[in-house]
Amino acid sequence: MVAEQGGPEDQKPQSDEARSAFVPPAGVDQPAAPSDDDHPTSEFALPAGVQTDPAASSGSGQGSASGPGSGSGSDTLSSAFVPPSGYNAQQQPPTFTPAHGIPMIRLTKEAPWQDRMRTMLRMPVFERPAPETIQKTDDSGPAVPRVLDLTLRIGELLLAGGEGAEDVEAAMFAVAHSYGLDRCEPTVTFTLLSISHQPSLVDDPVTASRTVRRRGTDYTRLAAVFRLIDDITTAEHVEVSLEEAYRRLAEIRRNRHPYPGWVLTAAAGLLAGSASVLVGGGVLVFLVAAAGAMLGDRLAWLCAGRGLPEFYQFTVAAMPPAAMGIALTLTHSTDVRPSAVITGGLFALLPGRALVAGVQDGLTGYYITAGARLLEVMYLVIGIVAGVLLMLYLGVQLGAALNPEARFVPNDRPVLQILAAMALTLAFAILLQQERSTVLAVTLNGGVAWVIFGAMSRTGGISPVAATAVAAGLVGLFGQLLSRYRYNSSLPYITAAIGPLLPGSATYFGLLGVAQNEVDTGLASLSTAVATALAIAIGVNLGSEISRLFMRVPGAVEGGARRAAKRTRGF
């Protein structure tokens, strides 16, 4: 009876709509069913024994695959790529929330842009606040390639002028951030600048780089670049378009140095003469040291015009002061100090600016740039040593009675030495091409540094290295506060002020000991010179960091600690 009821329905032909297009028609042999090995497995298929969420499967209209590992709902394994139930892509939950919560970062606009940008650079990318003030751009948004190019050009001027790597990165980030490119990562090394901008997580990043091939010391140009950055980052008062920023940058590049060449040569002579007075020289020693330094400066300019590297320029510049000191020794004059003449020439050549920048980069975590800067300092010092040693060997062969035991300085001329220290700082500021408005402040800073050093070392009997570190720390402290007050770079207020503290006499006596085959005495004196130089650099950096204790830190959490530059050991 069942067969009779179902017979007519079985004989009924199927319509075309009920038959799949992939089913072979009637009368055609059916192909054999393929084995499981012939089915290629998709790389997105779940492995055997893994089931998707039954609720998600039923919601999508697909059945869940069963396998040997299938069981109850509690034992069902979920794929790592399947979102959990209740997940909404528009309202994503936070990945991780600390126990104390995520603090809101607010950057105070009263702080200088250097501190605000340094704070942002030390934050993780996901904690950085969005830009609040953006320079005007066209309706289509910021021109990313032009903004990156402007940022690199500004960073190039800063790095070539001797600015520290962290300050260069902060300036580059400030420019890009002001023009709306907040997802930027600048990178600075000794000769290479690069910056990468990623519009979003799904867009390809845009990266640009620039190489610094020439370096020059012009703090007037450095101050102009800082004013440009301050105008760009302060959109509430000044609106600087990309065209205006490019125009001002071109003017900064075209500007001539504020002092002509003959003024720089005279400043080199004043620096050497003042340094010779600091170590016990008189009027004749002042004149001879100044003449030797000016002659060495002209010879160095001649070598630079011929395209010789800086190493040979320093070697040639160190020879005339040493030769004049040896010539005074050969005259058997008892009224002059030949060692003071040579020491004055060394003061005019020691690369204190590069040394401070190198140690500062190392202390802030930029080890590649710090290593390159210190290597540059080493080559320059070796060039100076080669020039002085060549003259000292020649003087020893000629019978010059160079006395390494002539340890100066007399203690009965404090007023004259303070004036000499200030004159040395003034000459150093002119050599650095500083603005005339900053010369007086840095001159007073150098005089204060020498007073502190003399009071601790000569009067208090404290170690000269420790006294130098304290004096350099005060120089860094005052320089950083002055720079924040003037919204300028700190280098014009610091670099020239450390001139009186440079280890010129220790370097000379170390070289003299080596020349007279007294290696132990020479190496001991040279080690003192190295320790003094490091004390200057560390003291300047420490003073700069101490100055930030008196200023409001932008982005600081109430009751929280200030972020360090790097966390290499987890604390």
Side-chain angles (χ1 to χ4, degrees), residues 56 119 134 212 217 227 241 245 271 277 336 349 382 391 395 402 420 426 498 514 517 560:
T119 302
I134 302 177
V212 179
T217 304
R227 284 194 294 270
S241 62
L271 194 155
V277 174
V336 297
L349 295 175
I382 290 176
M391 293 293 102
L402 298 171
L426 173 64
I498 65 173
V514 174
N517 205 19

Side-chain angles (χ1 to χ4, degrees), residues 314-338:
F314 274 78
T315 302
V316 172
M319 289 183 178
M324 288 188 174
I326 293 171
L328 287 178
T329 303
L330 293 176
T331 59
H332 304 287
S333 176
T334 58
D335 297 333
V336 297
R337 293 179 180 267

Side-chain angles (χ1 to χ4, degrees), residues 277-278 280-281 337 409-418 458-459:
V277 174
L278 280 180
R337 293 179 180 267
V409 173
N411 297 323
D412 54 351
R413 308 186 305 173
V415 177
L416 181 62
Q417 288 183 342
I418 292 174
R458 311 277 169 75
T459 306

Side-chain angles (χ1 to χ4, degrees), residues 54-64:
S57 301
S58 61
S60 61
Q62 297 177 358
S64 59

Side-chain angles (χ1 to χ4, degrees), residues 110-463:
E110 295 79 8
W113 63 264
Q114 299 99 312
D115 295 330
R116 289 188 282 116
M117 295 303 116
R118 186 182 290 110
T119 302
M120 291 189 66
L121 282 176
R122 294 178 180 181
M123 293 180 188
V125 178
F126 59 87
E127 291 186 12
R128 292 176 183 173
E132 299 178 1
T133 57
I134 302 177
Q135 292 289 341
K136 286 186 177 180
T137 56
D138 55 7
D139 296 335
S140 60
V144 175
R146 296 194 65 193
V147 172
L148 296 184
D149 179 71
L150 176 67
T151 302
L152 289 174
R153 291 178 183 272
I154 290 177
E156 178 189 9
L157 285 179
L158 294 178
L159 187 62
E163 198 64 59
E166 186 178 29
D167 294 329
V168 176
E169 282 196 1
M172 295 173 63
F173 190 82
V175 175
H177 193 264
S178 299
Y179 284 105
L181 307 184
D182 55 327
R183 300 176 64 89
C184 282
E185 286 298 332
T187 303
V188 176
T189 58
F190 186 60
T191 58
L192 182 65
L193 298 167
S194 65
I195 184 169
S196 178
H197 168 66
Q198 189 173 11
S200 65
L201 295 177
V202 297
D203 293 329
D204 294 333
V206 181
T207 303
S209 62
R210 195 171 183 88
T211 302
V212 179
R213 302 190 182 277
R214 295 192 61 184
R215 300 177 182 273
T217 304
D218 189 345
Y219 283 177
T220 300
R221 178 180 296 175
L222 195 68
V225 176
F226 265 76
R227 284 194 294 270
L228 173 60
I229 300 172
D230 186 63
D231 291 341
I232 291 176
T233 56
T234 314
E236 297 176 352
H237 304 87
V238 181
E239 294 181 357
V240 184
S241 62
L242 282 174
E243 289 74 15
E244 177 68 14
Y246 268 105
R247 184 190 63 79
R248 292 180 56 177
L249 193 63
E251 289 181 355
I252 292 173
R253 286 181 174 273
R254 286 195 302 263
N255 282 348
R256 299 178 61 87
H257 298 305
Y259 306 104
W262 66 269
V263 174
L264 299 180
T265 302
L270 177 62
L271 194 155
S274 302
S276 65
V277 174
L278 280 180
V279 294
V283 177
L284 181 59
V285 170
F286 177 89
L287 296 176
V288 174
M294 289 189 290
L295 179 58
D297 181 76
R298 287 292 92 191
L299 290 177
W301 276 101
L302 180 61
C303 293
R306 297 292 181 180
L308 291 179
E310 222 174 4
F311 175 86
Y312 301 105
Q313 297 176 26
F314 274 78
T315 302
V316 172
M319 289 183 178
M324 288 188 174
I326 293 171
L328 287 178
T329 303
L330 293 176
T331 59
H332 304 287
S333 176
T334 58
D335 297 333
V336 297
R337 293 179 180 267
S339 56
V341 176
I342 302 176
T343 301
L346 290 176
F347 265 89
L349 295 175
L350 290 177
R353 173 183 59 88
L355 175 66
V356 172
V359 175
Q360 179 181 0
D361 287 342
L363 293 177
T364 52
Y366 295 84
Y367 301 113
I368 296 177
T369 308
R373 288 187 189 271
L374 294 178
L375 188 63
E376 180 190 31
V377 171
M378 185 188 72
Y379 272 107
L380 298 181
V381 171
I382 290 176
I384 298 171
V385 168
V388 175
L389 276 180
L390 183 60
M391 293 293 102
L392 290 180
Y393 277 122
L394 181 61
V396 170
Q397 296 301 322
L398 294 177
L402 298 171
N403 184 15
E405 301 299 329
R407 299 289 175 174
F408 24 76
V409 173
N411 297 323
D412 54 351
R413 308 186 305 173
V415 177
L416 181 62
Q417 288 183 342
I418 292 174
L419 294 177
M422 296 178 67
L424 189 155
T425 306
L426 173 64
F428 206 170
I430 295 175
L431 288 175
L432 294 174
Q433 304 278 2
Q434 290 191 199
E435 290 183 308
R436 293 178 176 87
S437 59
T438 63
V439 170
L440 178 59
V442 72
T443 301
L444 295 177
N445 201 8
V448 171
W450 182 259
V451 169
I452 298 299
F453 171 78
M456 296 183 63
S457 177
R458 311 277 169 75
T459 306
I462 301 176
S463 169

